[in-house]
Structure formats: C-alpha cells, structure tokens
mmCIF file of all heavy atoms in Angstrom:
data_model
loop_
_atom_site.group_PDB
_atom_site.id
_atom_site.type_symbol
_atom_site.label_atom_id
_atom_site.label_comp_id
_atom_site.label_asym_id
_atom_site.label_seq_id
_atom_site.Cartn_x
_atom_site.Cartn_y
_atom_site.Cartn_z
ATOM 1 N N ALA A 1 0.839 -1.202 -0.018
ATOM 2 C CA ALA A 1 -0.011 0.002 -0.008
ATOM 3 C C ALA A 1 0.906 1.233 -0.018
ATOM 4 O O ALA A 1 2.047 1.238 0.551
ATOM 5 C CB ALA A 1 -0.824 -0.011 1.257
ATOM 6 N N ASN A 2 0.332 2.321 -0.582
ATOM 7 C CA ASN A 2 1.022 3.585 -0.668
ATOM 8 C C ASN A 2 0.477 4.594 0.375
ATOM 9 O O ASN A 2 1.253 5.398 0.916
ATOM 10 C CB ASN A 2 0.924 4.247 -2.040
ATOM 11 C CG ASN A 2 1.706 3.435 -3.077
ATOM 12 O OD1 ASN A 2 2.795 2.920 -2.770
ATOM 13 N ND2 ASN A 2 1.206 3.345 -4.287
ATOM 14 N N ILE A 3 -0.802 4.475 0.681
ATOM 15 C CA ILE A 3 -1.363 5.402 1.619
ATOM 16 C C ILE A 3 -1.069 5.024 3.088
ATOM 17 O O ILE A 3 -1.080 3.788 3.415
ATOM 18 C CB ILE A 3 -2.927 5.449 1.377
ATOM 19 C CG1 ILE A 3 -3.174 5.919 -0.068
ATOM 20 C CG2 ILE A 3 -3.629 6.322 2.356
ATOM 21 C CD1 ILE A 3 -4.594 5.741 -0.563
ATOM 22 N N LYS A 4 -0.831 6.003 3.871
ATOM 23 C CA LYS A 4 -0.416 5.728 5.247
ATOM 24 C C LYS A 4 -1.383 4.918 6.050
ATOM 25 O O LYS A 4 -1.092 3.964 6.716
ATOM 26 C CB LYS A 4 -0.204 7.068 5.982
ATOM 27 C CG LYS A 4 0.381 6.936 7.418
ATOM 28 C CD LYS A 4 0.655 8.282 8.006
ATOM 29 C CE LYS A 4 1.268 8.123 9.380
ATOM 30 N NZ LYS A 4 1.423 9.413 10.020
ATOM 31 N N SER A 5 -2.673 5.245 5.893
ATOM 32 C CA SER A 5 -3.687 4.501 6.658
ATOM 33 C C SER A 5 -3.839 3.030 6.161
ATOM 34 O O SER A 5 -4.040 2.165 6.967
ATOM 35 C CB SER A 5 -5.073 5.177 6.510
ATOM 36 O OG SER A 5 -5.470 5.233 5.153
ATOM 37 N N ALA A 6 -3.582 2.833 4.836
ATOM 38 C CA ALA A 6 -3.619 1.476 4.280
ATOM 39 C C ALA A 6 -2.429 0.664 4.784
ATOM 40 O O ALA A 6 -2.581 -0.548 5.099
ATOM 41 C CB ALA A 6 -3.619 1.499 2.745
ATOM 42 N N LYS A 7 -1.281 1.329 4.970
ATOM 43 C CA LYS A 7 -0.068 0.619 5.540
ATOM 44 C C LYS A 7 -0.356 0.213 6.957
ATOM 45 O O LYS A 7 -0.005 -0.868 7.374
ATOM 46 C CB LYS A 7 1.118 1.556 5.458
ATOM 47 C CG LYS A 7 1.646 1.822 4.052
ATOM 48 C CD LYS A 7 2.804 2.744 4.141
ATOM 49 C CE LYS A 7 3.289 3.055 2.673
ATOM 50 N NZ LYS A 7 4.402 3.999 2.700
ATOM 51 N N LYS A 8 -1.022 1.090 7.694
ATOM 52 C CA LYS A 8 -1.325 0.771 9.086
ATOM 53 C C LYS A 8 -2.341 -0.398 9.123
ATOM 54 O O LYS A 8 -2.174 -1.283 9.986
ATOM 55 C CB LYS A 8 -1.935 2.008 9.787
ATOM 56 C CG LYS A 8 -2.207 1.725 11.236
ATOM 57 C CD LYS A 8 -2.801 2.930 11.986
ATOM 58 C CE LYS A 8 -3.138 2.529 13.360
ATOM 59 N NZ LYS A 8 -3.684 3.657 14.152
ATOM 60 N N ARG A 9 -3.321 -0.375 8.276
ATOM 61 C CA ARG A 9 -4.304 -1.478 8.274
ATOM 62 C C ARG A 9 -3.564 -2.815 8.007
ATOM 63 O O ARG A 9 -3.942 -3.835 8.621
ATOM 64 C CB ARG A 9 -5.384 -1.267 7.202
ATOM 65 C CG ARG A 9 -6.332 -0.096 7.413
ATOM 66 C CD ARG A 9 -6.965 -0.035 8.800
ATOM 67 N NE ARG A 9 -7.593 -1.312 9.180
ATOM 68 C CZ ARG A 9 -7.783 -1.621 10.466
ATOM 69 N NH1 ARG A 9 -7.488 -0.802 11.472
ATOM 70 N NH2 ARG A 9 -8.340 -2.732 10.774
ATOM 71 N N VAL A 10 -2.609 -2.870 7.157
ATOM 72 C CA VAL A 10 -1.917 -4.080 6.839
ATOM 73 C C VAL A 10 -1.223 -4.557 8.099
ATOM 74 O O VAL A 10 -1.283 -5.738 8.445
ATOM 75 C CB VAL A 10 -0.868 -3.848 5.719
ATOM 76 C CG1 VAL A 10 0.065 -4.980 5.573
ATOM 77 C CG2 VAL A 10 -1.608 -3.615 4.369
ATOM 78 N N LEU A 11 -0.531 -3.653 8.832
ATOM 79 C CA LEU A 11 0.165 -4.018 10.013
ATOM 80 C C LEU A 11 -0.800 -4.506 11.122
ATOM 81 O O LEU A 11 -0.507 -5.530 11.764
ATOM 82 C CB LEU A 11 1.028 -2.827 10.531
ATOM 83 C CG LEU A 11 2.157 -2.343 9.700
ATOM 84 C CD1 LEU A 11 2.778 -1.073 10.276
ATOM 85 C CD2 LEU A 11 3.216 -3.419 9.522
ATOM 86 N N VAL A 12 -1.839 -3.796 11.301
ATOM 87 C CA VAL A 12 -2.820 -4.164 12.316
ATOM 88 C C VAL A 12 -3.471 -5.527 12.046
ATOM 89 O O VAL A 12 -3.670 -6.339 12.899
ATOM 90 C CB VAL A 12 -3.939 -3.065 12.467
ATOM 91 C CG1 VAL A 12 -5.054 -3.462 13.329
ATOM 92 C CG2 VAL A 12 -3.255 -1.778 13.027
ATOM 93 N N SER A 13 -3.820 -5.722 10.704
ATOM 94 C CA SER A 13 -4.434 -6.997 10.386
ATOM 95 C C SER A 13 -3.503 -8.169 10.581
ATOM 96 O O SER A 13 -3.912 -9.254 11.012
ATOM 97 C CB SER A 13 -5.030 -6.951 8.997
ATOM 98 O OG SER A 13 -4.013 -6.855 8.005
ATOM 99 N N GLU A 14 -2.178 -7.974 10.297
ATOM 100 C CA GLU A 14 -1.195 -9.052 10.520
ATOM 101 C C GLU A 14 -1.127 -9.348 12.003
ATOM 102 O O GLU A 14 -1.069 -10.536 12.387
ATOM 103 C CB GLU A 14 0.111 -8.618 9.961
ATOM 104 C CG GLU A 14 0.218 -8.709 8.459
ATOM 105 C CD GLU A 14 1.562 -8.168 7.935
ATOM 106 O OE1 GLU A 14 2.384 -7.657 8.726
ATOM 107 O OE2 GLU A 14 1.746 -8.211 6.663
ATOM 108 N N LYS A 15 -1.077 -8.289 12.826
ATOM 109 C CA LYS A 15 -0.930 -8.460 14.234
ATOM 110 C C LYS A 15 -2.174 -9.222 14.853
ATOM 111 O O LYS A 15 -1.989 -10.123 15.641
ATOM 112 C CB LYS A 15 -0.908 -7.045 14.837
ATOM 113 C CG LYS A 15 -0.495 -6.990 16.331
ATOM 114 C CD LYS A 15 -0.394 -5.526 16.737
ATOM 115 C CE LYS A 15 0.149 -5.308 18.090
ATOM 116 N NZ LYS A 15 0.255 -3.908 18.435
ATOM 117 N N ARG A 16 -3.322 -8.805 14.376
ATOM 118 C CA ARG A 16 -4.557 -9.467 14.894
ATOM 119 C C ARG A 16 -4.668 -10.935 14.389
ATOM 120 O O ARG A 16 -5.080 -11.820 15.118
ATOM 121 C CB ARG A 16 -5.818 -8.666 14.467
ATOM 122 C CG ARG A 16 -5.986 -7.430 15.240
ATOM 123 C CD ARG A 16 -7.265 -6.746 14.901
ATOM 124 N NE ARG A 16 -7.378 -5.564 15.758
ATOM 125 C CZ ARG A 16 -8.597 -5.066 16.132
ATOM 126 N NH1 ARG A 16 -9.684 -5.632 15.743
ATOM 127 N NH2 ARG A 16 -8.618 -3.957 16.866
ATOM 128 N N ALA A 17 -4.224 -11.162 13.157
ATOM 129 C CA ALA A 17 -4.287 -12.511 12.618
ATOM 130 C C ALA A 17 -3.360 -13.435 13.407
ATOM 131 O O ALA A 17 -3.738 -14.590 13.669
ATOM 132 C CB ALA A 17 -3.926 -12.524 11.129
ATOM 133 N N ALA A 18 -2.212 -12.937 13.804
ATOM 134 C CA ALA A 18 -1.250 -13.706 14.619
ATOM 135 C C ALA A 18 -1.859 -14.025 15.937
ATOM 136 O O ALA A 18 -1.736 -15.156 16.450
ATOM 137 C CB ALA A 18 0.067 -12.935 14.766
ATOM 138 N N ARG A 19 -2.559 -13.021 16.553
ATOM 139 C CA ARG A 19 -3.145 -13.203 17.844
ATOM 140 C C ARG A 19 -4.205 -14.224 17.795
ATOM 141 O O ARG A 19 -4.348 -15.175 18.626
ATOM 142 C CB ARG A 19 -3.673 -11.863 18.392
ATOM 143 C CG ARG A 19 -4.494 -11.971 19.641
ATOM 144 C CD ARG A 19 -4.957 -10.557 20.026
ATOM 145 N NE ARG A 19 -6.036 -10.557 20.994
ATOM 146 C CZ ARG A 19 -7.283 -10.505 20.699
ATOM 147 N NH1 ARG A 19 -7.706 -10.419 19.431
ATOM 148 N NH2 ARG A 19 -8.246 -10.557 21.612
ATOM 149 N N ASN A 20 -5.140 -14.095 16.724
ATOM 150 C CA ASN A 20 -6.202 -15.055 16.574
ATOM 151 C C ASN A 20 -5.693 -16.478 16.337
ATOM 152 O O ASN A 20 -6.208 -17.442 16.840
ATOM 153 C CB ASN A 20 -7.073 -14.647 15.385
ATOM 154 C CG ASN A 20 -7.838 -13.367 15.620
ATOM 155 O OD1 ASN A 20 -7.863 -12.909 16.787
ATOM 156 N ND2 ASN A 20 -8.325 -12.795 14.566
ATOM 157 N N LYS A 21 -4.600 -16.591 15.596
ATOM 158 C CA LYS A 21 -4.044 -17.941 15.309
ATOM 159 C C LYS A 21 -3.466 -18.572 16.562
ATOM 160 O O LYS A 21 -3.667 -19.780 16.762
ATOM 161 C CB LYS A 21 -2.934 -17.737 14.238
ATOM 162 C CG LYS A 21 -2.388 -19.056 13.725
ATOM 163 C CD LYS A 21 -1.414 -18.823 12.598
ATOM 164 C CE LYS A 21 -0.867 -20.144 12.008
ATOM 165 N NZ LYS A 21 0.094 -19.954 11.075
ATOM 166 N N ALA A 22 -2.840 -17.754 17.383
ATOM 167 C CA ALA A 22 -2.295 -18.281 18.642
ATOM 168 C C ALA A 22 -3.397 -18.788 19.593
ATOM 169 O O ALA A 22 -3.347 -19.795 20.196
ATOM 170 C CB ALA A 22 -1.481 -17.179 19.348
ATOM 171 N N ILE A 23 -4.491 -18.005 19.652
ATOM 172 C CA ILE A 23 -5.657 -18.409 20.529
ATOM 173 C C ILE A 23 -6.293 -19.643 19.991
ATOM 174 O O ILE A 23 -6.625 -20.589 20.754
ATOM 175 C CB ILE A 23 -6.629 -17.246 20.650
ATOM 176 C CG1 ILE A 23 -5.979 -16.080 21.412
ATOM 177 C CG2 ILE A 23 -7.857 -17.682 21.375
ATOM 178 C CD1 ILE A 23 -6.779 -14.820 21.446
ATOM 179 N N ARG A 24 -6.486 -19.742 18.667
ATOM 180 C CA ARG A 24 -7.086 -20.947 18.090
ATOM 181 C C ARG A 24 -6.213 -22.192 18.353
ATOM 182 O O ARG A 24 -6.754 -23.236 18.597
ATOM 183 C CB ARG A 24 -7.242 -20.773 16.575
ATOM 184 C CG ARG A 24 -8.509 -20.018 16.174
ATOM 185 C CD ARG A 24 -8.814 -20.325 14.705
ATOM 186 N NE ARG A 24 -9.963 -19.471 14.343
ATOM 187 C CZ ARG A 24 -9.800 -18.287 13.778
ATOM 188 N NH1 ARG A 24 -8.579 -17.870 13.394
ATOM 189 N NH2 ARG A 24 -10.787 -17.576 13.425
ATOM 190 N N SER A 25 -4.955 -21.960 18.251
ATOM 191 C CA SER A 25 -3.985 -23.057 18.486
ATOM 192 C C SER A 25 -4.070 -23.543 19.891
ATOM 193 O O SER A 25 -4.045 -24.787 20.167
ATOM 194 C CB SER A 25 -2.523 -22.566 18.186
ATOM 195 O OG SER A 25 -1.627 -23.593 18.468
ATOM 196 N N LYS A 26 -4.202 -22.664 20.933
ATOM 197 C CA LYS A 26 -4.388 -23.064 22.272
ATOM 198 C C LYS A 26 -5.642 -23.901 22.464
ATOM 199 O O LYS A 26 -5.592 -24.907 23.225
ATOM 200 C CB LYS A 26 -4.491 -21.758 23.195
ATOM 201 C CG LYS A 26 -3.192 -21.248 23.717
ATOM 202 C CD LYS A 26 -3.539 -20.071 24.601
ATOM 203 C CE LYS A 26 -2.462 -19.870 25.643
ATOM 204 N NZ LYS A 26 -2.737 -18.806 26.545
ATOM 205 N N VAL A 27 -6.670 -23.487 21.795
ATOM 206 C CA VAL A 27 -7.956 -24.214 21.932
ATOM 207 C C VAL A 27 -7.834 -25.645 21.293
ATOM 208 O O VAL A 27 -8.216 -26.599 21.926
ATOM 209 C CB VAL A 27 -9.169 -23.467 21.228
ATOM 210 C CG1 VAL A 27 -10.358 -24.382 21.142
ATOM 211 C CG2 VAL A 27 -9.435 -22.179 21.978
ATOM 212 N N LYS A 28 -7.211 -25.697 20.174
ATOM 213 C CA LYS A 28 -6.969 -27.010 19.519
ATOM 214 C C LYS A 28 -6.110 -27.909 20.387
ATOM 215 O O LYS A 28 -6.403 -29.143 20.513
ATOM 216 C CB LYS A 28 -6.326 -26.842 18.188
ATOM 217 C CG LYS A 28 -7.264 -26.325 17.098
ATOM 218 C CD LYS A 28 -6.505 -26.136 15.761
ATOM 219 C CE LYS A 28 -7.381 -25.475 14.712
ATOM 220 N NZ LYS A 28 -6.610 -25.279 13.470
ATOM 221 N N THR A 29 -5.103 -27.386 21.003
ATOM 222 C CA THR A 29 -4.225 -28.132 21.865
ATOM 223 C C THR A 29 -4.995 -28.642 23.063
ATOM 224 O O THR A 29 -4.891 -29.870 23.451
ATOM 225 C CB THR A 29 -3.001 -27.288 22.371
ATOM 226 O OG1 THR A 29 -2.311 -26.821 21.254
ATOM 227 C CG2 THR A 29 -2.129 -28.117 23.281
ATOM 228 N N ALA A 30 -5.827 -27.847 23.669
ATOM 229 C CA ALA A 30 -6.650 -28.236 24.788
ATOM 230 C C ALA A 30 -7.628 -29.341 24.437
ATOM 231 O O ALA A 30 -7.754 -30.335 25.197
ATOM 232 C CB ALA A 30 -7.433 -27.092 25.351
ATOM 233 N N ILE A 31 -8.176 -29.260 23.218
ATOM 234 C CA ILE A 31 -9.166 -30.300 22.767
ATOM 235 C C ILE A 31 -8.357 -31.622 22.544
ATOM 236 O O ILE A 31 -8.838 -32.673 22.847
ATOM 237 C CB ILE A 31 -9.873 -29.825 21.487
ATOM 238 C CG1 ILE A 31 -10.809 -28.677 21.835
ATOM 239 C CG2 ILE A 31 -10.569 -31.018 20.793
ATOM 240 C CD1 ILE A 31 -11.475 -28.004 20.641
ATOM 241 N N LYS A 32 -7.174 -31.520 22.016
ATOM 242 C CA LYS A 32 -6.373 -32.719 21.760
ATOM 243 C C LYS A 32 -6.002 -33.382 23.041
ATOM 244 O O LYS A 32 -5.916 -34.643 23.142
ATOM 245 C CB LYS A 32 -5.124 -32.387 20.974
ATOM 246 C CG LYS A 32 -5.292 -32.112 19.502
ATOM 247 C CD LYS A 32 -4.028 -31.749 18.810
ATOM 248 C CE LYS A 32 -4.291 -31.233 17.431
ATOM 249 N NZ LYS A 32 -3.129 -30.639 16.751
ATOM 250 N N LYS A 33 -5.780 -32.649 24.109
ATOM 251 C CA LYS A 33 -5.450 -33.250 25.397
ATOM 252 C C LYS A 33 -6.658 -34.018 25.987
ATOM 253 O O LYS A 33 -6.529 -35.073 26.544
ATOM 254 C CB LYS A 33 -5.062 -32.155 26.396
ATOM 255 C CG LYS A 33 -3.611 -31.575 26.138
ATOM 256 C CD LYS A 33 -3.277 -30.596 27.134
ATOM 257 C CE LYS A 33 -1.848 -30.060 26.858
ATOM 258 N NZ LYS A 33 -1.397 -28.974 27.710
ATOM 259 N N VAL A 34 -7.929 -33.463 25.738
ATOM 260 C CA VAL A 34 -9.063 -34.153 26.190
ATOM 261 C C VAL A 34 -9.206 -35.461 25.369
ATOM 262 O O VAL A 34 -9.477 -36.521 25.965
ATOM 263 C CB VAL A 34 -10.330 -33.297 26.008
ATOM 264 C CG1 VAL A 34 -11.570 -34.085 26.344
ATOM 265 C CG2 VAL A 34 -10.251 -32.038 26.869
ATOM 266 N N ASP A 35 -9.004 -35.364 24.080
ATOM 267 C CA ASP A 35 -9.157 -36.577 23.180
ATOM 268 C C ASP A 35 -8.118 -37.622 23.555
ATOM 269 O O ASP A 35 -8.395 -38.861 23.602
ATOM 270 C CB ASP A 35 -8.985 -36.199 21.769
ATOM 271 C CG ASP A 35 -10.167 -35.378 21.205
ATOM 272 O OD1 ASP A 35 -11.246 -35.502 21.839
ATOM 273 O OD2 ASP A 35 -9.997 -34.686 20.226
ATOM 274 N N ALA A 36 -6.894 -37.199 23.912
ATOM 275 C CA ALA A 36 -5.876 -38.178 24.311
ATOM 276 C C ALA A 36 -6.224 -38.828 25.602
ATOM 277 O O ALA A 36 -5.968 -40.047 25.779
ATOM 278 C CB ALA A 36 -4.503 -37.434 24.430
ATOM 279 N N ALA A 37 -6.805 -38.144 26.524
ATOM 280 C CA ALA A 37 -7.179 -38.723 27.853
ATOM 281 C C ALA A 37 -8.310 -39.684 27.657
ATOM 282 O O ALA A 37 -8.345 -40.759 28.317
ATOM 283 C CB ALA A 37 -7.584 -37.640 28.833
ATOM 284 N N ILE A 38 -9.241 -39.374 26.721
ATOM 285 C CA ILE A 38 -10.348 -40.330 26.428
ATOM 286 C C ILE A 38 -9.819 -41.550 25.775
ATOM 287 O O ILE A 38 -10.193 -42.694 26.094
ATOM 288 C CB ILE A 38 -11.342 -39.577 25.476
ATOM 289 C CG1 ILE A 38 -12.089 -38.489 26.271
ATOM 290 C CG2 ILE A 38 -12.407 -40.590 24.915
ATOM 291 C CD1 ILE A 38 -12.986 -37.565 25.390
ATOM 292 N N ALA A 39 -8.820 -41.445 24.793
ATOM 293 C CA ALA A 39 -8.262 -42.553 24.157
ATOM 294 C C ALA A 39 -7.478 -43.448 25.113
ATOM 295 O O ALA A 39 -7.494 -44.669 24.981
ATOM 296 C CB ALA A 39 -7.297 -42.097 23.069
ATOM 297 N N ALA A 40 -6.870 -42.825 26.174
ATOM 298 C CA ALA A 40 -6.159 -43.595 27.195
ATOM 299 C C ALA A 40 -7.093 -44.175 28.222
ATOM 300 O O ALA A 40 -6.623 -44.897 29.143
ATOM 301 C CB ALA A 40 -5.120 -42.701 27.844
ATOM 302 N N ASN A 41 -8.384 -43.838 28.136
ATOM 303 C CA ASN A 41 -9.418 -44.316 29.047
ATOM 304 C C ASN A 41 -9.175 -43.865 30.488
ATOM 305 O O ASN A 41 -9.344 -44.635 31.409
ATOM 306 C CB ASN A 41 -9.565 -45.866 28.926
ATOM 307 C CG ASN A 41 -10.936 -46.289 29.211
ATOM 308 O OD1 ASN A 41 -11.866 -45.411 29.179
ATOM 309 N ND2 ASN A 41 -11.142 -47.515 29.475
ATOM 310 N N ASP A 42 -8.641 -42.668 30.665
ATOM 311 C CA ASP A 42 -8.353 -42.084 31.950
ATOM 312 C C ASP A 42 -9.358 -41.060 32.276
ATOM 313 O O ASP A 42 -9.354 -39.923 31.891
ATOM 314 C CB ASP A 42 -6.951 -41.456 31.910
ATOM 315 C CG ASP A 42 -6.450 -41.050 33.266
ATOM 316 O OD1 ASP A 42 -7.249 -41.085 34.279
ATOM 317 O OD2 ASP A 42 -5.246 -40.616 33.428
ATOM 318 N N LYS A 43 -10.353 -41.463 33.063
ATOM 319 C CA LYS A 43 -11.521 -40.642 33.335
ATOM 320 C C LYS A 43 -11.115 -39.349 34.127
ATOM 321 O O LYS A 43 -11.635 -38.269 33.821
ATOM 322 C CB LYS A 43 -12.506 -41.474 34.220
ATOM 323 C CG LYS A 43 -13.778 -40.702 34.617
ATOM 324 C CD LYS A 43 -14.878 -40.866 33.640
ATOM 325 C CE LYS A 43 -16.163 -40.339 34.203
ATOM 326 N NZ LYS A 43 -17.077 -39.942 33.189
ATOM 327 N N GLU A 44 -10.216 -39.513 35.097
ATOM 328 C CA GLU A 44 -9.834 -38.342 35.913
ATOM 329 C C GLU A 44 -9.110 -37.359 35.089
ATOM 330 O O GLU A 44 -9.345 -36.104 35.166
ATOM 331 C CB GLU A 44 -8.980 -38.845 37.116
ATOM 332 C CG GLU A 44 -8.711 -37.799 38.122
ATOM 333 C CD GLU A 44 -8.025 -38.369 39.372
ATOM 334 O OE1 GLU A 44 -8.381 -39.450 39.806
ATOM 335 O OE2 GLU A 44 -7.093 -37.621 39.862
ATOM 336 N N ALA A 45 -8.094 -37.766 34.320
ATOM 337 C CA ALA A 45 -7.331 -36.854 33.425
ATOM 338 C C ALA A 45 -8.248 -36.195 32.421
ATOM 339 O O ALA A 45 -8.069 -34.975 32.116
ATOM 340 C CB ALA A 45 -6.209 -37.585 32.737
ATOM 341 N N ALA A 46 -9.209 -36.933 31.912
ATOM 342 C CA ALA A 46 -10.183 -36.390 30.898
ATOM 343 C C ALA A 46 -10.979 -35.307 31.590
ATOM 344 O O ALA A 46 -11.205 -34.244 30.901
ATOM 345 C CB ALA A 46 -11.121 -37.510 30.358
ATOM 346 N N GLY A 47 -11.418 -35.439 32.784
ATOM 347 C CA GLY A 47 -12.164 -34.412 33.532
ATOM 348 C C GLY A 47 -11.407 -33.138 33.722
ATOM 349 O O GLY A 47 -11.846 -32.062 33.484
ATOM 350 N N VAL A 48 -10.096 -33.299 34.124
ATOM 351 C CA VAL A 48 -9.219 -32.151 34.318
ATOM 352 C C VAL A 48 -8.958 -31.457 32.995
ATOM 353 O O VAL A 48 -9.070 -30.215 32.866
ATOM 354 C CB VAL A 48 -7.896 -32.579 34.960
ATOM 355 C CG1 VAL A 48 -6.881 -31.422 34.985
ATOM 356 C CG2 VAL A 48 -8.154 -33.130 36.341
#
C-alpha cells in the first residue's frame, strides 16, 4: 500500500491474525489433550 492508513491497516491486520491464530492453536491443543485422555481411558485426566 502507498497510503499511510492502508499501511497501518496491513500491520494491524497481521498483528490481529497472529493473535487469533495463537488463541485458536491453544484451543486445539486443549481439545487434543481431552481426546488423548479419552483414548487412554483415563476418566480423571479427561475431567481435568
């Protein structure tokens, strides 16, 4: 982009996309931990 405001929008959108990706990744990891506990048939670990 050539316009100052457009350059800022590019930077802001990259920053927010990175933040959103990190949060989605945390959620996916948490879900995988539940699935792993279920696969291991560990009721207590699955609850935690």
Side-chain angles (χ1 to χ4, degrees):
N2 290 324
I3 299 168
K4 186 177 180 182
S5 61
K7 289 178 184 178
K8 181 178 178 182
R9 292 309 312 156
V10 169
L11 294 175
V12 170
S13 66
E14 285 175 356
K15 190 177 188 180
R16 286 187 177 207
R19 174 178 163 266
N20 292 348
K21 188 174 182 181
I23 294 170
R24 275 200 189 96
S25 178
K26 272 183 152 181
V27 170
K28 286 180 187 177
T29 302
I31 290 172
K32 285 178 189 172
K33 286 180 182 177
V34 175
D35 291 338
I38 291 169
N41 210 16
D42 189 352
K43 179 92 171 154
E44 192 172 317
V48 172

